[in-house]
Amino acid sequence: MGSSDFTDKLVAGILANDTTALGKAITLVESTKHEHQKIAAQIIEACLIQKTDTIRIGITGVPGVGKSTFIENFGKMLTSLGKKVAVLTIDPTSSLSKGSILGDKTRMQELVKDPNAFIRPSPAGDSLGGVAKKTRESIVILEAAGYNVIIVETVGVGQSETAVSNMVDFFLLLKLAGAGDELQGIKRGIMEMADAVAINKADGENMKQVKLAESELKRALHLFPAKENGWATEVTSCSALKNIGLDTIWSIIQKFVNKTKASGHFAASRKQQNKSWLIQHIDHHLKTDFYQNPKIKPLLIEIEEKVINGHLSPFKAAEELLEIYRNG
């Protein structure tokens, strides 16, 4: 079978929501092999022309906040409402083995069995703050396959949120009551990006602290500048474990979508995301092209050694390498 026939068959499988075809396509998209990238580009082009009506939701929060339980039960609630839900979980990656620390789909065992859900874990690798490089492409493929709610979960280490906010429509921050912002690793910038803040584990003896945290957050958010789209960040609480408050969060998301679609901000944001995608691709390809350059590769170790030993400044070394690259 030729590569064109293979691509056509894969695209047909995606449009028919064949999960095997979906898995293969996302694997090709994540591959760094040149021949795989060429096929992936053709698949993305074919998927982009499909007109879809979807909502992309980014979910973040530090490890221990209960993201997996939340996504699993929130996803199950959405599929019970007739939605098709795809979850892209960005697992932490070991810097030594480069393997995904949390493994596979073991964190959402119930949702993975749901015929109207698709879960794809991706090791974060060395990409910005733990967002897999190919998450955008995976979103496009999943939307073409008919998934109308796409959830992107971040590692929650406080660095990946800007990258995620550039690829989703709605950004949800999960927090815990009784833990200071610094302890949680959540910075003010992330709070400003959030479209809703939900205090999780709101059940039992924890309720008093939850209500106090809710009040404090609402007061704090009033001090933040207004968002360009006119949306005021909402604060709520939930218990993912006991399925309390998940419907309220979905109502907030629907209210956000209706308001931003009516004002034109929803479509404008998607256009801005496409621009970010273009810039990201240029950056990625330039970087790859530089490091794979046959003149640069053999010189790099030698120049790195000079920089490490203080025989050459990093600035001078970078200039020398870039000059060779430009002239090459």
Side-chain angles (χ1 to χ4, degrees), residues 97-169:
S97 69
K98 304 297 182 192
S100 175
I101 293 170
L102 300 185
D104 52 15
K105 304 172 186 178
T106 53
R107 294 182 294 147
M108 300 174 201
Q109 290 177 346
E110 288 300 313
L111 190 60
V112 80
K113 296 172 193 167
D114 193 316
N116 288 315
F118 181 89
I119 301 176
R120 175 74 180 203
S122 304
D126 58 358
S127 53
L128 174 64
V131 181
K133 285 190 186 81
K134 304 299 180 180
T135 304
R136 286 181 201 272
E137 288 90 333
S138 299
I139 289 171
V140 169
I141 290 169
L142 289 162
E143 287 177 338
Y147 292 95
N148 47 21
V149 179
I150 313 289
I151 295 172
V152 183
E153 176 205 1
T154 77
V155 175
V157 291
Q159 296 169 358
S160 59
E161 282 65 27
T162 304
V164 169
S165 68
N166 280 332
M167 61 178 83
V168 297
D169 307 306

Side-chain angles (χ1 to χ4, degrees), residues 53-64:
D53 183 18
T54 64
I55 172 76
R56 304 166 183 173
I57 304 166
I59 296 180
T60 193
V62 294

Side-chain angles (χ1 to χ4, degrees), residues 59-62 65-71 172-176 184 186 194 196-200 238 240 249:
I59 296 180
T60 193
V62 294
V65 78
K67 289 193 297 292
S68 297
T69 306
F70 176 86
I71 292 168
L172 174 66
L173 169 62
L174 291 179
K175 285 176 74 76
L176 293 170
Q184 289 200 49
I186 296 296
V197 181
I199 301 161
N200 194 20
C238 65
I249 292 168

